[in-house]
Amino acid sequence: MLDDAAVQSLLGDISPSIHGSVVSDVNRKGHFYVFVDVNRDKDNKQVPSNFLLHNVKRQIEVHGVEVDFVLLDARQRDAESGLRATVLHSFGEHIRNVFLSTTNTDAVVWLDAKRGLESGVKEAVAEKARIFLTEVGFDLKAVETTSGENLPSRTACLRIIRASAPVSIATLDARLRDRGFTVPSADWLTRRLDSMRRAGLIVRLQTGEYVLSLASIRAMGTSKNRRSPDIERLLALAAGRH
């Protein structure tokens, strides 16, 4: 059975577009997630194309494993920033933050409300979001609030980081989803990690990956001498601290 590195080596023509490392599915043996940065060429065609992705997927599956491509569209990231600015400008009194998740052209808007949203406010936000998203090529399918979802807590993030460190945002995202958590968007997760880093719970390496801080390792329960596996790992990575 192929491991993460072996799958990565089989990506061939799409290798330049791969975002981070291949992630194995902890719940399904032989199943992997591959994060791909997609863009648009001068003819507005997706690069790499779905045709190319499908061919690579088939070539890898010949080796007895299954891959799912998670497409990270630069257009979505731009749309999320624009949507956030638009909504907060009009509804900053009610909304703390806004996130966007998309599948092809379908979009779901996530609202981090300062308090319970009245139905009239939510409807007004939805109308504003619909107008904006239509303009940038997306169809609004739903407006949700983060308060009612199974969002990953700090503890959940810390446990996965401890088990998988050093861990990229893409890997952490996949691991959290494997465990049934809702991750509104990559930007939401990045902000959560930044908050944890400022609180001294995690360390961001120069590679952009994350490990637990020494304080978190001790708080989560481990041997406190230098021979502890957790502390040895942190010391070995300390040179890459960012």
Side-chain angles (χ1 to χ4, degrees):
M1 182 67 68
L2 301 182
D3 60 12
D4 301 16
V7 172
Q8 186 108 20
S9 70
L10 295 173
L11 294 173
D13 292 340
I14 68 168
S15 291
S17 299
I18 300 305
H19 185 97
S21 302
V22 171
V23 180
S24 59
D25 187 338
V26 296
N27 294 319
R28 291 170 57 191
K29 188 175 181 180
H31 180 242
F32 299 85
Y33 294 102
V34 179
F35 294 81
V36 182
D37 282 318
V38 298
N39 292 285
R40 301 281 165 175
D41 63 15
K42 60 183 178 62
D43 298 318
N44 200 36
K45 294 181 179 179
Q46 178 182 301
V47 179
S49 67
N50 287 328
F51 179 78
L52 176 58
L53 293 173
H54 180 68
N55 282 344
V56 172
K57 179 181 175 73
R58 286 193 303 174
Q59 292 167 14
I60 293 175
E61 289 177 347
V62 168
H63 296 271
V65 298
E66 181 182 358
V67 297
D68 276 330
F69 292 116
V70 179
L71 305 188
L72 306 174
D73 195 335
R75 183 177 63 138
Q76 177 191 335
R77 293 192 288 271
D78 292 342
E80 184 174 43
S81 296
L83 176 66
R84 179 178 296 119
T86 298
V87 172
L88 294 183
H89 173 72
S90 299
F91 303 98
E93 179 182 350
H94 305 281
I95 307 296
R96 181 178 295 107
N97 217 328
V98 182
F99 304 96
L100 179 68
S101 59
T102 63
T103 303
N104 297 321
T105 60
D106 293 343
V108 176
V109 173
W110 296 86
L111 304 177
D112 180 8
K114 293 181 178 179
R115 49 189 169 275
L117 279 183
E118 298 178 0
S119 60
V121 174
K122 188 174 181 180
E123 290 171 2
V125 171
E127 182 59 25
K128 178 80 72 172
R130 182 177 292 105
I131 293 171
F132 174 86
L133 291 170
T134 299
E135 187 67 23
V136 296
F138 289 102
D139 297 319
L140 179 64
K141 295 302 179 183
V143 175
E144 307 286 355
T145 56
T146 58
S147 59
E149 294 297 322
N150 185 28
L151 301 178
S153 65
R154 283 185 171 186
T155 300
C157 292
L158 289 172
R159 285 174 177 165
I160 294 176
I161 293 172
R162 181 180 188 177
S164 306
V167 62
S168 66
I169 289 178
T171 299
L172 179 59
D173 186 313
R175 298 283 192 236
L176 288 168
R177 293 178 191 274
D178 282 347
R179 287 161 174 75
F181 290 106
T182 297
V183 180
S185 75
D187 186 67
W188 180 91
L189 186 55
T190 298
R191 290 167 183 260
R192 171 57 60 92
L193 292 175
D194 282 345
S195 172
M196 293 168 62
R197 180 179 55 80
R198 290 193 298 271
L201 299 175
I202 58 176
V203 175
R204 185 177 186 272
L205 306 178
Q206 290 181 345
T207 60
E209 296 171 306
Y210 294 85
V211 296
L212 295 188
S213 68
L214 186 57
S216 287
I217 290 172
R218 287 173 170 163
M220 294 181 74
T222 186
S223 172
K224 297 179 177 60
N225 61 61
R226 288 176 62 92
R227 300 185 65 181
S228 159
D230 285 328
I231 294 179
E232 284 183 350
R233 173 181 285 177
L234 183 61
L235 291 173
L237 293 167
R241 182 168 181 162
H242 181 62

